[in-house]
Amino acid sequence: MGDQEVKLFGLWASPYSKRVEIALKIKGIKYEYFEENLSNKSSELLKYNPVHKKLPVLLHNGKPVCESLVILEYIDETWKSEHSLLPEDPYARAMARFWAKCIEDKCTAAMRSIWRSSEGQDKVIEELTVHLKTLENELKGKKFFGGDEIGLVDITANLMALWLGVLLELKGIELLTKEKLPRLCEWIDDYLNHQIIKETLPDRENLREYMSNLLKG
């Protein structure tokens, strides 16, 4: 596609920023990364995402694209390669979008509720358990949600591969175990051991310390 200027404004501990980094690396796209400070947001971030003022923001030839799932589809449609994040078949594409939205609307929302509450979590833990078991069933017979290769749904589920386990550990909640969710735990192992994922995701102990400090306020 000739000369391309690709910049990513993100945060090292953000699962949403990491989604975009993973997609760019899977596609083999060269990009320049800018680490943001959420307590002192840069003028560039405020300029390129004036509506939500949130991360990540992808800048492609001076044009900003916001919201991680929107960015993932933009990357897939803009840079065609042997590794597509979405399948070619229209129905399969629709199903991938469905599961990505399910993860974003259901699992992410439940995780946020657990993060914010210090007591009375039984109901939200029960809701998250139901959602995770649904994903467990979806993974049967497949290595990744996308089949043999990491795809849109796997990248969307990024936060369950690392961030969820750290959160549950900090909250003293035993849920994400091989006894309760064996197939989902296998997926986590396969995902975290993928070369691009290993080189992109933050160190678990550093993330745990970061999240612990946030919880303490």
Coordinates of all heavy atoms in Angstrom, one line a residue, residues 90-126:
P90 N -19.7 -15.0 4.9 CA -20.5 -13.9 5.6 C -21.2 -14.4 6.9 O -21.2 -13.6 7.8 CB -21.6 -13.6 4.5 CG -20.9 -14.0 3.2 CD -20.1 -15.2 3.5
Y91 N -21.6 -15.6 6.9 CA -22.3 -16.1 8.1 C -21.2 -16.3 9.3 O -21.5 -15.9 10.4 CB -23.0 -17.5 7.9 CG -23.6 -18.0 9.2 CD1 -24.8 -17.5 9.6 CD2 -23.0 -19.0 9.9 CE1 -25.4 -18.0 10.8 CE2 -23.6 -19.5 11.0 CZ -24.8 -19.0 11.5 OH -25.4 -19.5 12.6
A92 N -20.1 -16.8 8.9 CA -19.0 -17.0 9.9 C -18.5 -15.6 10.4 O -18.2 -15.5 11.6 CB -17.8 -17.8 9.3
R93 N -18.5 -14.6 9.5 CA -18.1 -13.3 9.9 C -19.2 -12.7 10.9 O -18.8 -12.1 11.9 CB -18.0 -12.3 8.7 CG -16.9 -12.6 7.8 CD -16.9 -11.8 6.5 NE -16.6 -10.4 6.8 CZ -15.4 -9.9 6.7 NH1 -14.4 -10.7 6.4 NH2 -15.2 -8.6 6.9
A94 N -20.4 -12.9 10.6 CA -21.5 -12.5 11.5 C -21.4 -13.1 12.8 O -21.6 -12.5 13.9 CB -22.9 -12.8 10.8
M95 N -21.1 -14.4 12.9 CA -21.0 -15.1 14.2 C -19.8 -14.6 15.0 O -19.8 -14.5 16.2 CB -20.9 -16.6 13.9 CG -22.2 -17.3 13.4 SD -23.5 -17.1 14.7 CE -24.4 -15.7 14.0
A96 N -18.7 -14.3 14.3 CA -17.5 -13.8 15.0 C -17.8 -12.5 15.6 O -17.5 -12.2 16.7 CB -16.3 -13.7 14.0
R97 N -18.5 -11.6 14.9 CA -18.9 -10.3 15.4 C -19.9 -10.5 16.6 O -19.8 -9.8 17.6 CB -19.6 -9.5 14.3 CG -18.6 -9.0 13.2 CD -19.4 -8.0 12.3 NE -18.4 -7.5 11.3 CZ -18.4 -7.8 10.0 NH1 -19.3 -8.6 9.5 NH2 -17.6 -7.2 9.2
F98 N -20.8 -11.5 16.5 CA -21.7 -11.8 17.6 C -21.0 -12.1 18.9 O -21.3 -11.6 19.9 CB -22.7 -12.9 17.2 CG -23.5 -13.5 18.3 CD1 -24.6 -12.8 18.7 CD2 -23.1 -14.6 19.1 CE1 -25.4 -13.3 19.8 CE2 -23.8 -15.0 20.1 CZ -25.0 -14.4 20.5
W99 N -20.0 -13.1 18.7 CA -19.3 -13.5 19.9 C -18.4 -12.4 20.5 O -18.2 -12.3 21.7 CB -18.5 -14.8 19.6 CG -19.4 -16.0 19.5 CD1 -19.6 -16.7 18.4 CD2 -20.1 -16.6 20.6 NE1 -20.5 -17.7 18.7 CE2 -20.8 -17.7 20.0 CE3 -20.2 -16.3 21.9 CZ2 -21.6 -18.5 20.8 CZ3 -21.1 -17.1 22.7 CH2 -21.8 -18.2 22.1
A100 N -17.8 -11.6 19.6 CA -17.0 -10.5 20.1 C -17.9 -9.5 20.9 O -17.5 -9.0 21.9 CB -16.4 -9.7 18.9
K101 N -19.1 -9.2 20.4 CA -20.0 -8.3 21.1 C -20.5 -8.9 22.4 O -20.6 -8.2 23.4 CB -21.2 -8.0 20.2 CG -22.2 -7.0 20.8 CD -23.2 -6.5 19.8 CE -24.2 -5.6 20.5 NZ -23.6 -4.5 21.2
C102 N -20.7 -10.2 22.4 CA -21.1 -10.9 23.6 C -20.1 -10.8 24.7 O -20.4 -10.5 25.8 CB -21.3 -12.4 23.3 SG -21.8 -13.4 24.7
I103 N -18.8 -11.0 24.3 CA -17.7 -10.8 25.3 C -17.6 -9.4 25.8 O -17.5 -9.2 27.0 CB -16.4 -11.2 24.6 CG1 -16.3 -12.7 24.3 CG2 -15.2 -10.8 25.5 CD1 -15.2 -13.2 23.4
E104 N -17.8 -8.5 24.9 CA -17.7 -7.0 25.3 C -18.8 -6.6 26.1 O -18.7 -5.9 27.1 CB -17.6 -6.2 24.0 CG -17.1 -4.8 24.2 CD -15.6 -4.7 24.5 OE1 -15.0 -5.7 24.9 OE2 -15.1 -3.6 24.4
D105 N -20.0 -7.1 25.8 CA -21.2 -6.6 26.5 C -21.5 -7.4 27.8 O -22.0 -6.8 28.8 CB -22.5 -6.8 25.6 CG -22.5 -5.8 24.5 OD1 -21.7 -4.9 24.4 OD2 -23.3 -6.0 23.6
K106 N -21.2 -8.7 27.8 CA -21.5 -9.5 29.0 C -20.3 -9.7 29.9 O -20.3 -9.3 31.1 CB -22.0 -10.9 28.5 CG -23.2 -10.8 27.6 CD -24.4 -10.3 28.3 CE -25.7 -10.4 27.4 NZ -26.9 -9.9 28.1
C107 N -19.2 -10.3 29.4 CA -18.1 -10.6 30.2 C -17.4 -9.4 30.8 O -17.0 -9.3 31.9 CB -17.1 -11.5 29.5 SG -17.8 -13.1 28.9
T108 N -17.1 -8.4 29.9 CA -16.4 -7.2 30.3 C -17.2 -6.4 31.3 O -16.7 -5.9 32.3 CB -16.1 -6.3 29.1 OG1 -15.4 -7.0 28.1 CG2 -15.3 -5.1 29.5
A109 N -18.6 -6.4 31.1 CA -19.4 -5.7 32.0 C -19.4 -6.3 33.4 O -19.4 -5.6 34.5 CB -20.9 -5.6 31.5
A110 N -19.4 -7.7 33.4 CA -19.4 -8.4 34.7 C -18.0 -8.2 35.4 O -18.0 -8.0 36.6 CB -19.6 -9.9 34.5
M111 N -17.0 -8.1 34.6 CA -15.6 -7.9 35.2 C -15.6 -6.5 35.8 O -15.0 -6.3 36.9 CB -14.5 -8.0 34.2 CG -14.2 -9.5 33.8 SD -13.0 -9.6 32.5 CE -11.6 -8.8 33.3
R112 N -16.2 -5.5 35.2 CA -16.2 -4.2 35.7 C -16.9 -4.1 37.0 O -16.6 -3.4 38.0 CB -16.8 -3.2 34.7 CG -15.8 -2.9 33.5 CD -16.5 -2.0 32.5 NE -15.6 -1.7 31.4 CZ -16.0 -1.4 30.2 NH1 -17.3 -1.4 29.9 NH2 -15.1 -1.1 29.2
S113 N -18.0 -4.8 37.1 CA -18.8 -4.9 38.3 C -18.0 -5.5 39.5 O -18.1 -5.0 40.6 CB -20.1 -5.6 38.1 OG -20.9 -5.0 37.2
I114 N -17.3 -6.5 39.2 CA -16.5 -7.2 40.2 C -15.4 -6.2 40.7 O -15.1 -6.1 41.8 CB -15.9 -8.5 39.7 CG1 -17.0 -9.5 39.5 CG2 -14.8 -9.0 40.7 CD1 -16.5 -10.8 38.8
W115 N -14.8 -5.5 39.7 CA -13.7 -4.5 40.0 C -14.2 -3.4 40.9 O -13.5 -3.1 41.9 CB -13.2 -3.9 38.7 CG -12.2 -2.8 38.8 CD1 -12.5 -1.5 39.0 CD2 -10.8 -2.9 38.9 NE1 -11.4 -0.8 39.1 CE2 -10.3 -1.6 39.1 CE3 -9.9 -4.0 38.8 CZ2 -8.9 -1.4 39.1 CZ3 -8.6 -3.8 38.9 CH2 -8.1 -2.5 39.1
R116 N -15.4 -2.9 40.7 CA -15.9 -1.8 41.4 C -16.5 -2.1 42.8 O -16.6 -1.3 43.7 CB -17.0 -1.1 40.6 CG -16.5 -0.4 39.3 CD -17.6 0.0 38.4 NE -17.1 0.6 37.2 CZ -17.8 0.8 36.1 NH1 -19.1 0.4 36.1 NH2 -17.3 1.3 35.0
S117 N -17.0 -3.4 43.0 CA -17.6 -3.7 44.2 C -16.7 -4.4 45.2 O -15.8 -5.2 44.8 CB -18.9 -4.6 44.0 OG -18.5 -5.8 43.3
S118 N -16.9 -4.2 46.5 CA -16.1 -4.8 47.5 C -16.9 -5.9 48.3 O -16.3 -6.7 49.0 CB -15.6 -3.8 48.5 OG -16.6 -3.0 49.1
E119 N -18.2 -5.9 48.1 CA -19.0 -6.9 48.8 C -20.3 -7.1 48.0 O -20.6 -6.3 47.1 CB -19.3 -6.5 50.2 CG -19.9 -5.1 50.3 CD -20.1 -4.6 51.8 OE1 -19.2 -4.8 52.6 OE2 -21.2 -4.1 52.1
G120 N -21.0 -8.2 48.4 CA -22.2 -8.4 47.7 C -22.0 -8.8 46.2 O -22.8 -8.4 45.3
Q121 N -21.0 -9.6 45.9 CA -20.6 -9.9 44.6 C -21.2 -11.2 44.0 O -21.0 -11.6 42.9 CB -19.1 -10.0 44.5 CG -18.4 -8.7 44.8 CD -16.8 -8.9 44.6 OE1 -16.3 -9.9 44.8 NE2 -16.2 -7.8 44.3
D122 N -22.0 -11.9 44.9 CA -22.5 -13.2 44.5 C -23.2 -13.2 43.2 O -23.0 -14.1 42.3 CB -23.3 -13.8 45.6 CG -22.5 -14.2 46.9 OD1 -21.3 -14.1 46.8 OD2 -23.1 -14.4 47.9
K123 N -24.1 -12.3 43.0 CA -24.9 -12.2 41.8 C -24.1 -12.0 40.6 O -24.3 -12.7 39.5 CB -26.0 -11.1 41.9 CG -26.9 -11.1 40.7 CD -28.0 -10.0 40.9 CE -28.9 -10.0 39.7 NZ -30.0 -9.0 39.8
V124 N -23.1 -11.1 40.6 CA -22.3 -10.8 39.4 C -21.4 -11.9 39.1 O -21.1 -12.2 38.0 CB -21.6 -9.4 39.6 CG1 -20.5 -9.5 40.6 CG2 -21.0 -9.0 38.2
I125 N -20.9 -12.6 40.2 CA -20.0 -13.7 40.0 C -20.8 -14.9 39.3 O -20.3 -15.5 38.4 CB -19.4 -14.2 41.3 CG1 -18.4 -13.2 41.9 CG2 -18.7 -15.6 41.1 CD1 -17.9 -13.5 43.3
E126 N -22.0 -15.0 39.7 CA -22.9 -16.0 39.1 C -23.1 -15.7 37.6 O -23.1 -16.6 36.8 CB -24.2 -16.1 39.8 CG -25.2 -17.1 39.3 CD -26.5 -17.2 40.1 OE1 -26.5 -16.7 41.2 OE2 -27.5 -17.7 39.5

